[in-house]
Amino acid sequence: MTSLSDPVSELAGVGPKRAQALRSLAIENVNDLLTYFPFRYEDLQAKDPTELTDQAKVTLKGTVAAAPVISRFGRRKTRLTFRLLLDEHTIIPVTFFNQPWLKDKLEVGKELAVYGRFDAKRQSLSGMKIIAGADGGGMGSIYPANKEVRQGTIQKLVESAFETYAPVIVDLIPEPLRDEYRLLHRREMIHDMHFPASDRAAQAARRTAKFEEFYLFEVRLQVVKQQDHTLHGQALTYDLPRLKDFIAALPYELTAAQKRVVNEICYDLKRPIHMNRLLQGDVGSGKTVVAAIAMYAAITAGAQAALMAPTEILAEQHANNLAKLFADFPVNVALLTGATKPAARKTLLPQIAKGTVNLIVGTHALIQPEVDYADLGLAVIDEQHRFGVNQRQALREKGQQPDVLAMTATPIPRTLAITAYGEMDVSVINELPAGRQPIKTSWIRSNQVDSTLREVKAELSSGSQAYVVTPLIEESEAVDMKNAEAIYERFKEQFEPTYRVGLLHGRMKNDEKNAVMDAFKNNEFQVLVATTVIEVGVDVPNATVMMIYDADHFGLAQLHQLRGRVGRGKKASACILIADPKNELAVERMTTMTSTNDGFVLSQKDLELRGPGDILGKKQSGVPDFKVGDPVADLNILSVAQQAAKETVASPNWADKDANLALAAFLSTTAHQNTTMD
């Protein structure tokens, strides 16, 4: 019995060597082949001679007027020439290069259609192919090919596969969805993707193909999410009166968005399911205090909480801030990083194992094999995309399925929220705390820096501080960008002794970095020249100026993160982008940064301009390589498909194997194609 999961070697003409070649195009079975869709089409409709334009690709229909002539030139090159009679008065010379075997198809008086490029000056056609059938017609499919598998081979195999397997192509999208969104049956969609009769037919097929691809991906994600929720997580029965006392003791009122998100998280904590929630919010929206409330809730339930941060500076800052927040509450905060001294580590590890330390803050040191927890109930991962999949998983495996709260200060555009994070529940803080003033962002060119420095000095004279960021640590001959050491020397000359200037970069030892950062926090330095080591989490409310050299070399999301280091106090703040962009894309990034402070708008724009791999890193982007759909350009289709998938998996009929036989069978046979979700 034939099945779409049959290997391509079942097709005539596919032996071991060709099967291996097809594997280079990720074609292993018949379904892979039938969904190996064309990336464009050629219009093969025969054209009237009066409609021809120079260098246009056209199909001409006519009669072979004279026997073909083959001539040789160069090394092993041939030229086949014949004349094509289009009508009583029009004869067009046609030339095919390096295809001498076509001579057998060219009989004088035979009608045929030829596809090629028209040369108006010579009134001739450079032939590309002879179309089956004298009338031409339809659309010619053009496939991604390589040296191992030629275009013509793919076309023939697709024709053969469809002819043999069309009867077993069944619908995967439920009928109500097909009707609601006016989608084609799967068999019709596959046919019209490969053999469309018109451009309109091709567009309708592509629309259905995009929806199906997104829908199947999202169904897989929803199944993963459903399975994750069925894991027996800990039901953390927190002490509500104590939690309310802690919230009431905070030095500020929570925003409406923070309150909503706290309720979402606490609702999950109390349920006997495994929470896997992403907390996202713009820079300065107050994610850390929400995480603190969640961790205190876990602690009042008798469990431990852990917070893992990507850098030692950020981990130490979190530990200090949490120690202050919990100063009047029964929370024992400990810091564990790679810099923790052996003696302190030796004392701390048994306390964590016994549970006398109930809030552990640290870096990847938290997931080392020798670190045992008494009862880890909640794991918080800050800037979670900075960690690898295995590192995040290692923290989740500490304890008995602890609830997981992943945080990111990089607002996730809807595209990534639906794909890369589609298996997670998402909480969004979309409101800034009261009193926060928008940061004024301006873009200047490098020849305007001197006049801007006068404005910076005026700001420092009022008691404020300034960051100066540059992409490189030291001078590089390969890249013409400002470097931290040169800028540091220049600012020392211009600002000292009135204002002290500090230097911070990633190659410094941890003790040195911490000392510089502490000095800046204490206003011992008024200007801090730094690389992007200060991008995330560093909190100095007195800093009101951010200068970024070579800003056009950063992505929008990173620029927004850097900008977020200022504007954290009550004073008005400014971000100055210094850039001499060399292309339109870089100019667009600069103008976009100056037009909005909304991180969600910027993150979506960054995704459109650069792609997910450049934003999160290729290994961390989590966005699969869809065959037809573009998750950025086709966001509306993706969103609809996600909602449809949610309804499918949540419906009572989902467990009905008979009702979902085709879809369930397809998902099980294509499991190897699923993007791994952590």
Side-chain angles (χ1 to χ4, degrees):
M1 182 178 176
T2 56
S3 164
L4 295 187
S5 60
D6 289 349
V8 283
S9 55
E10 292 291 314
L11 297 172
V14 181
K17 189 174 181 180
R18 179 159 286 174
Q20 181 65 33
L22 288 168
R23 206 166 288 125
S24 69
L25 297 176
I27 299 174
E28 297 189 22
N29 58 40
V30 173
N31 185 74
D32 294 337
L33 179 62
L34 290 177
T35 55
Y36 192 77
F37 296 130
F39 67 90
R40 67 178 177 87
Y41 302 94
E42 295 171 334
D43 185 358
L44 302 182
Q45 295 284 354
K47 293 289 188 293
D48 187 289
T50 60
E51 299 175 356
L52 303 182
T53 57
D54 188 40
Q55 300 304 309
K57 291 181 179 179
V58 297
T59 300
L60 297 179
K61 173 190 171 185
T63 305
V64 179
V69 175
I70 296 177
S71 58
R72 299 185 181 278
F73 67 100
R75 282 191 70 186
R76 300 180 182 179
K77 294 182 180 179
T78 63
R79 181 188 294 111
L80 183 150
T81 306
F82 68 96
R83 290 187 296 166
L84 188 67
L85 177 64
L86 303 185
D87 55 38
E88 293 181 2
H89 310 290
T90 309
I91 294 180
I92 295 286
V94 180
T95 303
F96 279 91
F97 292 96
N98 304 315
Q99 299 185 60
W101 57 85
L102 292 178
K103 182 178 180 180
D104 296 337
K105 296 183 178 182
L106 302 171
E107 300 174 13
V108 177
K110 180 180 180 179
E111 286 192 2
L112 51 76
V114 182
Y115 180 77
R117 189 183 297 276
F118 180 69
D119 187 321
K121 185 176 180 181
R122 292 186 172 87
Q123 286 293 296
S124 63
L125 187 74
S126 178
M128 296 179 180
K129 61 184 173 182
I130 294 175
I131 301 169
D135 292 332
M139 308 284 288
S141 299
I142 305 299
Y143 298 88
N146 59 23
K147 290 181 179 180
E148 297 180 66
V149 188
R150 300 293 182 182
Q151 184 75 218
T153 301
I154 299 172
Q155 291 170 340
K156 288 176 183 177
L157 288 176
V158 168
E159 290 173 9
S160 171
F162 188 82
E163 184 178 342
T164 304
Y165 287 87
V168 297
I169 298 175
V170 295
D171 289 316
L172 302 177
I173 300 173
E175 185 177 355
L177 290 178
R178 282 203 319 274
D179 293 342
E180 182 178 356
Y181 299 116
R182 303 185 308 281
L183 303 172
L184 304 178
H185 287 278
R186 191 166 201 253
R187 187 181 304 166
E188 183 183 3
M189 177 269 286
I190 289 177
H191 177 276
D192 286 359
M193 281 293 287
H194 294 292
F195 323 112
S198 64
D199 183 57
R200 185 174 180 180
Q203 288 180 11
R206 188 163 292 272
R207 177 176 173 271
T208 298
K210 288 178 179 180
F211 185 93
E212 179 186 277
E213 185 174 35
F214 288 148
Y215 174 74
L216 295 175
F217 175 79
E218 291 296 333
V219 166
R220 290 189 189 101
L221 280 185
Q222 294 307 313
V223 170
V224 170
K225 189 173 181 178
Q226 190 181 71
Q227 291 171 343
D228 194 30
H229 277 184
T230 58
L231 290 174
H232 294 296
Q234 301 183 47
L236 297 175
T237 308
Y238 54 83
D239 189 321
L240 184 57
R242 288 173 63 191
L243 192 60
K244 285 183 175 179
D245 288 344
F246 173 67
I247 295 172
L250 292 172
Y252 38 73
E253 175 79 12
L254 295 179
T255 65
Q258 286 174 313
K259 291 175 182 177
R260 168 174 46 77
V261 168
V262 165
N263 285 332
E264 290 171 353
I265 295 169
C266 287
Y267 174 72
D268 274 358
L269 292 178
K270 238 177 183 177
R271 293 196 294 166
I273 66 163
H274 179 245
M275 180 177 78
N276 188 22
R277 185 170 288 277
L278 175 69
L279 172 59
Q280 63 164 319
D282 213 336
V283 176
S285 59
K287 294 177 296 300
T288 304
V289 73
V290 168
I293 294 169
M295 290 188 288
Y296 188 60
I299 289 168
T300 66
Q304 290 171 302
L307 190 158
M308 186 167 72
T311 66
E312 291 181 358
I313 288 179
L314 189 52
E316 184 175 347
Q317 180 176 285
H318 276 313
N320 291 336
N321 290 342
L322 290 170
K324 292 174 185 174
L325 273 179
F326 292 121
D328 299 325
F329 295 87
V331 177
N332 191 355
V333 182
L335 176 67
L336 179 62
T337 71
T340 303
K341 303 292 184 186
R345 183 184 180 85
K346 188 175 180 180
T347 302
L348 180 57
L349 291 183
Q351 294 177 337
I352 296 173
K354 291 177 184 176
T356 51
V357 169
N358 51 14
L359 177 51
I360 308 94
V361 182
T363 55
H364 61 277
L366 297 181
I367 59 175
Q368 298 306 310
E370 62 271 23
V371 181
D372 293 319
Y373 297 84
D375 181 16
L376 183 60
L378 175 63
V380 179
I381 303 173
D382 192 19
E383 287 305 306
Q384 67 98 33
H385 65 271
R386 295 291 192 93
F387 293 100
V389 172
N390 293 336
Q391 290 175 313
R392 299 198 295 267
Q393 187 62 34
L395 181 59
R396 294 171 186 182
E397 291 173 354
K398 293 286 187 180
Q400 299 296 316
Q401 293 294 339
D403 287 333
V404 174
L405 180 65
M407 299 195 299
T408 176
T410 303
I412 305 297
R414 285 180 62 210
T415 298
L416 294 184
I418 293 172
T419 54
Y421 302 97
E423 89 286 11
M424 303 180 78
D425 294 304
V426 179
S427 291
V428 179
I429 304 178
N430 52 4
E431 179 183 2
L432 291 178
R436 284 283 172 90
Q437 298 187 49
I439 301 165
K440 182 182 177 183
T441 305
S442 57
W443 164 35
I444 65 171
R445 298 196 177 259
S446 54
N447 60 7
Q448 299 172 287
V449 170
D450 287 343
S451 59
T452 302
L453 291 182
R454 288 194 290 271
E455 298 174 18
V456 174
K457 287 180 179 178
E459 186 69 18
L460 297 182
S461 68
S462 68
S464 295
Q465 293 168 268
Y467 291 104
V468 180
V469 176
T470 176
L472 296 180
I473 297 171
E474 56 194 23
E475 190 172 357
S476 168
E477 294 180 4
V479 185
D480 181 23
M481 286 190 284
K482 303 297 183 294
N483 60 84
E485 291 178 343
I487 295 293
Y488 170 64
E489 294 299 332
R490 179 181 173 188
F491 270 72
K492 282 187 71 175
E493 287 178 11
Q494 297 212 16
F495 283 76
E496 291 190 346
T498 308
Y499 307 107
R500 288 195 64 201
V501 181
L503 176 64
L504 181 69
H505 57 70
R507 288 189 194 167
M508 297 169 70
K509 294 180 180 178
N510 289 323
D511 290 346
E512 293 176 312
K513 285 191 285 189
N514 291 336
V516 170
M517 206 60 240
D518 287 341
F520 188 61
K521 285 180 185 177
N522 297 328
N523 205 4
E524 294 171 27
F525 294 123
Q526 287 69 54
V527 178
L528 181 63
V529 177
T531 56
T532 54
V533 69
I534 54 95
E535 177 186 346
V536 174
V538 178
D539 192 0
V540 182
N542 196 47
T544 61
V545 178
M546 167 66 69
M547 295 182 71
I548 305 174
Y549 278 86
D550 294 304
D552 52 321
H553 290 266
F554 296 92
L556 290 175
Q558 193 173 32
L559 287 173
H560 186 60
Q561 286 295 317
L562 290 168
R563 175 168 63 183
R565 295 308 99 216
V566 297
R568 305 184 77 81
K570 302 256 184 212
K571 296 181 181 179
S573 297
C575 177
I576 303 159
L577 308 175
I578 305 165
D580 300 302
K582 308 251 185 327
N583 56 58
E584 291 182 7
L585 183 64
V587 170
E588 188 172 0
R589 285 208 300 272
M590 295 304 96
T591 54
T592 301
M593 277 298 297
T594 59
S595 66
T596 181
N597 277 299
D598 190 325
F600 290 94
V601 172
L602 288 170
S603 63
Q604 183 65 32
K605 187 69 175 177
D606 208 17
L607 187 68
E608 293 168 7
L609 293 176
R610 299 199 299 150
D614 286 329
I615 294 174
L616 298 180
K618 295 292 183 185
K619 294 181 180 178
Q620 298 301 325
S621 71
V623 179
D625 293 324
F626 292 107
K627 290 183 177 180
V628 230
D630 180 337
V632 178
D634 301 317
L635 178 58
N636 288 339
I637 299 177
L638 176 62
S639 300
V640 172
Q642 183 201 37
Q643 187 57 40
K646 284 181 178 179
E647 293 170 4
T648 296
V649 176
S651 70
N653 291 334
W654 176 245
D656 184 349
K657 292 182 179 179
D658 292 332
N660 297 280
L661 189 60
L663 179 57
F666 180 83
L667 292 175
S668 65
T669 58
T670 58
H672 69 281
Q673 298 172 359
N674 190 18
T675 300
T676 301
M677 291 293 151
D678 48 70

